[in-house]
Amino acid sequence: QVQLVESGGGLVQAGGSLRLSCAASGSIFNSNAMGWYRQAPGKQRELVARITSGGSTNYADSVKGRFTISRDNAQNTVYLQMNSLKPEDTGVYYCNVPVLVFTRSTSWGQGTQVTVSS
C-alpha cells in the first residue's frame, strides 16, 4: 500500500503559479508511473498529468503547455509546476499511481486545495 501526502496548494490570482509536491511512501513508487489528478467543484476527478518511472510525460489538453510534472525517485516525490493558472484550474489536487487507480487498488490522500481567483 502506498501512502501519499500532497502539499503546496493555495490561493493565487489568475496568471500566477504554484508548485505542488507529493511525498509517497512504499516501494511501488520507483517502478510505476505517477499522476496528478484534479477534482473541480461538482465534477469528477480527472487525470491532468502523468510521468512514467523513466520520466516520460503526458498531459490533459486543458493544462498542456502550462503544467509540468516531474519526479525525484531518490526522494520518492512527484511535483506539479503550474504556471499561467486560470480560474478553471481551481480544485483539489491529488497524486496517485494511475495503474492502481484504474484497478481500484488504491486509496487517496487528503489532496491539496488550489483556488485561482479571476
Side-chain angles (χ1 to χ4, degrees):
Q1 183 79 10
V2 59
Q3 286 80 45
L4 304 156
V5 179
E6 302 92 347
S7 62
L11 173 63
V12 64
Q13 288 189 335
S17 298
L18 284 172
R19 189 192 194 208
L20 308 184
S21 299
C22 170
S25 63
S27 60
I28 201 170
F29 179 88
N30 286 347
S31 58
N32 280 275
M34 293 294 297
W36 278 99
Y37 296 76
R38 172 173 71 198
Q39 186 163 23
K43 295 187 178 180
Q44 289 191 338
R45 191 153 34 200
E46 61 172 340
L47 179 65
V48 297
R50 176 181 175 274
I51 184 167
T52 68
S53 57
S56 297
T57 59
N58 50 39
Y59 300 91
D61 287 345
S62 59
V63 307
K64 201 171 294 183
R66 300 187 298 121
F67 290 11
T68 302
I69 187 171
S70 61
R71 65 190 294 162
D72 182 339
N73 288 341
Q75 298 293 325
N76 279 14
T77 302
V78 62
Y79 303 97
L80 186 68
Q81 177 67 43
M82 305 187 296
N83 298 328
S84 302
L85 283 161
K86 304 176 180 180
E88 52 263 44
D89 294 318
T90 293
V92 182
Y93 284 70
Y94 304 86
C95 66
N96 218 314
V97 183
V99 66
L100 298 183
V101 173
F102 182 75
T103 58
R104 301 176 186 266
S105 305
T106 185
S107 57
W108 295 90
Q110 83 287 352
T112 187
Q113 174 72 45
V114 172
T115 304
V116 185
S117 63
S118 57

